Amino acid sequence: MPTFDHRRVVSGDIPDICEMQLAPFDYQELLDVYDDTQTAQEALRDLCTRPYFEFSVFLIDDKPEAIFGLSGGSGCDSRVPWFLCTDKARRYPKEILKRAAKVQKRWDRKGYTLSNWVKADNTGARRLLKYLGYTVDTTSKTWGRSGAYHPFKKEN
């Protein structure tokens, strides 16, 4: 039986995180955000080294398999939540839900409005968002090469 854990991470503590082999939906979403100008690992490294980011890493057998992140500049009342994971992490949905709920509670206490976009055909991510209390709109926007995205939001 694998062991599960999660830990908060600060920028700079990332070497093992950037080597994650993302699940196909997450890989494509990351490339869409970065307009295919970088590899997924380069984009992930860029994302995780920004000074205004906070994130938690979901570990399976002490290896990072998912990241729950929150971005946004200082002095504003809103933040951008994001979640990326590997296929291995997707095999343990109950563990992801348990850890995501803990991270979400910490974010909720901060009082920010949280919003971002989710790939329209990523049903697993949309279910996770609804479980965590987000409203997922059916309005679509096209990003990158991979099609439609839906906005999601949570007011705290």
Side-chain angles (χ1 to χ4, degrees):
M1 180 69 164
T3 60
F4 303 99
D5 196 9
H6 77 275
R7 62 182 163 105
R8 289 182 72 180
V9 180
V10 295
S11 291
D13 184 22
I14 57 159
D16 52 346
I17 297 169
C18 293
E19 301 309 315
M20 287 176 33
Q21 297 300 309
L22 297 174
F25 272 119
D26 298 319
Y27 180 85
Q28 188 58 55
E29 286 184 16
L30 191 60
L31 291 181
D32 283 348
V33 168
Y34 280 85
D35 296 323
D36 294 331
T37 59
Q38 299 177 328
T39 67
Q41 275 68 32
E42 289 169 336
L44 189 57
R45 180 175 300 280
D46 180 63
L47 188 65
C48 292
T49 55
R50 294 181 181 191
Y52 51 87
F53 279 80
E54 158 188 335
F55 50 99
S56 293
V57 178
F58 174 51
L59 304 165
I60 300 175
D61 294 329
D62 295 323
K63 184 177 179 211
E65 298 290 348
I67 305 172
F68 306 95
L70 191 63
S71 66
S74 62
C76 60
D77 294 333
S78 62
R79 295 290 187 267
V80 178
W82 49 273
F83 172 67
L84 298 169
C85 74
T86 64
D87 281 328
K88 184 174 183 176
R90 287 184 183 273
R91 292 195 297 263
Y92 301 99
K94 288 181 182 177
E95 293 296 330
I96 287 177
L97 290 175
K98 185 165 66 172
R99 274 138 183 100
K102 287 181 182 180
V103 171
Q104 185 65 55
K105 282 181 186 177
R106 186 174 71 240
W107 293 350
D108 288 346
R109 286 191 299 267
K110 294 180 181 206
Y112 300 126
T113 296
L114 305 172
S115 62
N116 202 349
W117 294 80
V118 63
K119 206 160 164 28
D121 56 352
N122 190 344
T123 56
R126 290 197 335 262
R127 276 194 308 267
L128 174 65
L129 290 165
K130 288 177 183 177
Y131 173 82
L132 295 173
Y134 290 87
T135 301
V136 180
D137 194 339
T138 56
T139 307
S140 293
K141 174 183 177 177
T142 301
W143 252 337
R145 299 182 202 168
S146 67
Y149 282 78
H150 294 307
F152 64 88
K153 186 174 189 175
K154 184 173 189 185
E155 306 259 357
N156 290 305

